[in-house]
Amino acid sequence: NGTSVIESPELPHHPMFCQISFYYQVHGSQHTLRLVSSSDGGKEWTEEWVRTRETAKLYLFTAINLNISSSYKVRFEANIAGKGYLAVDDISFRRCGVVFSGIDFSRYSNATLKEMFRPGVRVVRGQDWTWGTIDGYAPGTVISRLDANSRVRVRWDKGYDAGFFRVGFENMFDLDLLATPSTSNCSM
């Protein structure tokens, strides 16, 4: 019984929206799990998301867009009363500081994808990203042609070159195009 807190360090401001995603479980009739954010160093907190008295026996997934306009912190607050438990797992920050193309790449042929993800094209994490922080939370540049397994090699701006990333392999897309003002509202 009581309150437990998981709090991030101060995180830098990004010009675009930032999404936090995580798995959670609330099992017990008197428990509350809350996600709050602060842009003033933790003096005041704004509620972003809350779950109370769920009885899920499985982990549930959620993703929340944070409206960030300055450096910020996030904090999970778990209020436990009575029997049961709360859990939070696999906390990830996605799409922070970049603009995504909004293109549904699964609609395109391999030939079209080969042209879209040609060497020199700028990319960011895509919808099926599973590579942790190897990109350094920064964009990168495609440095190889699409191979026979529908993958390309990327050199990340932070200096990492971590191998091949899926661009259609098994209909998975590790990458998205870094949008420019002319492509950010693209409806291909």
Side-chain angles (χ1 to χ4, degrees):
N1 291 345
T3 301
S4 296
V5 172
I6 301 172
E7 186 173 311
S8 76
E10 190 84 11
L11 301 169
H13 164 63
H14 293 289
M16 299 299 159
F17 80 91
C18 183
Q19 183 182 78
I20 183 172
S21 63
F22 53 93
Y23 289 86
Y24 70 96
Q25 191 174 33
V26 179
H27 188 70
S29 62
Q30 300 177 17
H31 301 336
T32 301
L33 180 61
R34 178 176 287 118
L35 173 68
V36 294
S37 67
S38 174
S39 59
D40 63 3
K43 294 175 187 162
E44 293 186 32
W45 295 90
T46 301
E47 185 173 280
E48 302 286 350
W49 175 91
V50 65
R51 289 297 179 269
T52 304
R53 297 186 309 262
E54 291 187 11
T55 56
K57 293 185 179 179
L58 300 173
Y59 275 89
L60 302 174
F61 176 81
T62 194
I64 296 116
N65 291 334
L66 302 173
N67 186 10
I68 304 302
S69 60
S70 63
S71 60
Y72 64 101
K73 291 181 170 192
V74 295
R75 180 166 77 185
F76 286 93
E77 299 172 344
N79 297 307
I80 302 167
K83 295 181 181 178
Y85 54 88
L86 292 162
V88 177
D89 195 12
D90 196 19
I91 302 167
S92 299
F93 290 89
R94 298 178 53 193
R95 300 183 176 191
C96 297
V98 296
V99 180
F100 283 74
S101 67
I103 298 170
D104 178 5
F105 296 110
S106 65
R107 299 179 9 198
Y108 295 98
S109 69
N110 198 43
T112 302
L113 290 173
K114 187 178 280 191
E115 176 58 27
M116 293 171 105
F117 288 91
R118 66 191 175 280
V121 167
R122 302 283 289 155
V123 294
V124 292
R125 295 177 179 203
Q127 66 185 19
D128 299 309
W129 182 263
T130 60
W131 298 92
T133 60
I134 198 70
D135 62 347
Y137 299 105
T141 303
V142 174
I143 59 172
S144 73
R145 291 220 167 270
L146 197 67
D147 70 9
N149 291 320
S150 298
R151 301 172 307 164
V152 295
R153 193 170 183 92
V154 174
R155 178 169 292 118
W156 298 105
D157 290 0
K158 296 290 185 175
Y160 300 105
D161 179 9
F164 288 88
F165 299 89
R166 299 169 298 181
V167 180
F169 178 72
E170 296 181 345
N171 205 30
M172 302 293 276
F173 294 87
D174 293 327
L175 303 175
D176 192 357
L177 300 174
L178 178 63
T180 62
S182 63
T183 62
S184 61
N185 293 319
C186 186
S187 59
M188 297 173 104

